Amino acid sequence: MLVSAAVLALVQCGGGSSGDDAGDGPGPRDHGNLTDLVGAYTAGFSADSGYRRPSRADRRTVAEGVALLLDGRRSRAERRLSDVDLTVRTVTDRAAGRRYAEISDRSEDGTAPRGWGRVYIDLDTPVRWSVQVPHPVADRNTERLGAELMRRSPGGVLVLAGAHRDAGRGDAADVAHRKDTVFHAVCDELVRRGLPGLQLHGMTDDAAPEHDVVASTGRGREAVTEGRALADALRRRDYDVCRAWARPCPLEGRDNTQGRSAAAHDVPFLHIEFAPRLRERRGDVRSVVGALATVTRTWQRS
């Protein structure tokens, strides 16, 4: 399926800016590996690490800041995001030879981080797709899959939740099932722009014992073609995939909040559950990321 015209008109973040909008925020920093950077960020996540629910104004401000950054208006994005104590810097992954804009929370270094997450945006290639990680650490190593996909496939946005799914009161930090989160506000802005998305989850061995992966298009069917391509790529790597668009599967993600938003805007969306070994073994991680990249490469060319 072709990505909408809104994506084709999208200005490359960073590289498309000029003059006063070409700032680098607090200053660029090198990092050997985006995956290591993400891993260091999520290392402290736990069910009792705390979470503060953002207000509607907070969520709107973050979404507006991300929109400005995607439009190449970096200085304005930095000013807007600073209103809610978020900062923008350029991160260079030396190993991958890529640069990313990192949106992060100044409160991360405090005693009570808010848990609003991070966003990484490819600065070297026009943005065409997103990978979403709503349950880092809780769904073990899904954050690693997301970061590795960003490193392997150009033109992406990584949206990373900022807390363990059980960190908030009740289900307040379970961002895959709530609209009142920074995570959803960012994903909703990407959907508004027509950006297709992959959302990565981890399941237990007994959740779908006959399958290694459950792949679903969520509430919509706009990504059936991409889902088939992903399932075929995984099958070639000897993984068994339950294809939720073709048959009943567990963990289909039809109540996923970001999937519902994508379906309402006719934007392609894939909800993918991976068994533990696919997220934990180095060789399996490489294989899974390679399969995911077959989809993102298609979106990047669209």
Side-chain angles (χ1 to χ4, degrees), residues 93-291:
D93 184 323
R94 295 191 301 273
R98 305 199 66 80
R99 298 176 308 130
Y100 306 95
E102 176 195 79
I103 301 174
S104 60
D105 192 337
R106 290 191 178 96
S107 79
E108 289 168 8
D109 297 327
T111 57
R114 296 179 292 188
W116 289 0
R118 286 186 179 180
V119 180
Y120 290 91
I121 302 173
D122 192 333
L123 288 174
D124 296 320
T125 305
V127 168
R128 295 287 185 266
W129 54 271
S130 77
V131 57
Q132 306 160 15
V133 182
H135 300 144
V137 177
D139 287 3
R140 181 176 171 83
N141 281 339
T142 50
E143 63 275 14
R144 179 183 177 190
L145 294 179
E148 284 295 314
L149 181 60
M150 285 286 287
R151 301 181 71 238
R152 179 157 181 170
S153 187
V157 178
L158 170 60
V159 188
L160 182 65
H164 190 285
R165 67 183 298 172
D166 297 326
R169 182 174 299 177
D171 66 347
D174 185 359
V175 299
H177 299 102
R178 300 188 67 101
K179 291 184 178 180
D180 58 346
T181 67
V182 166
F183 182 92
H184 182 71
V186 173
C187 291
D188 218 32
E189 174 60 29
L190 300 180
V191 161
R192 189 184 69 80
R193 292 166 173 264
L195 286 177
L198 298 163
Q199 191 169 111
L200 309 182
H201 292 261
M203 62 183 179
T204 60
D205 282 324
D206 58 359
E210 297 180 358
H211 305 287
D212 300 303
V213 183
V214 176
S216 171
T217 59
R219 180 69 60 160
R221 291 186 59 84
E222 286 75 18
V224 169
T225 299
E226 293 92 332
R228 288 174 181 150
L230 174 62
D232 289 346
L234 288 165
R235 184 68 189 90
R236 289 193 296 272
R237 291 162 170 81
D238 295 324
Y239 301 124
D240 190 282
V241 183
C242 191
R243 307 178 185 221
W245 55 87
R247 54 164 293 181
C249 297
L251 303 174
E252 294 179 347
R254 299 197 188 280
D255 292 329
N256 180 277
T257 302
Q258 293 74 50
R260 283 175 174 264
S261 176
H265 290 82
D266 298 322
V267 172
F269 175 86
L270 287 173
H271 178 282
I272 313 158
E273 298 270 359
F274 295 100
R277 72 179 181 91
L278 276 67
R279 295 174 276 123
E280 295 172 0
R281 300 177 184 175
R282 182 174 299 178
D284 289 311
V285 168
R286 282 197 301 268
S287 292
V288 165
V289 171

Side-chain angles (χ1 to χ4, degrees), residues 55-112:
S55 69
R56 180 174 301 194
D58 293 332
R59 302 193 304 269
R60 182 174 61 249
T61 297
V62 176
E64 290 171 354
V66 170
L68 288 166
L69 194 55
L70 289 170
D71 287 337
R73 300 176 179 179
R74 178 150 180 168
S75 294
R76 296 181 191 180
E78 291 168 356
R79 290 194 295 270
R80 191 71 179 114
L81 291 166
S82 70
D83 290 341
V84 288
D85 287 326
L86 297 183
T87 186
V88 183
R89 70 173 74 239
T90 297
V91 172
T92 301
D93 184 323
R94 295 191 301 273
R98 305 199 66 80
R99 298 176 308 130
Y100 306 95
E102 176 195 79
I103 301 174
S104 60
D105 192 337
R106 290 191 178 96
S107 79
E108 289 168 8
D109 297 327
T111 57

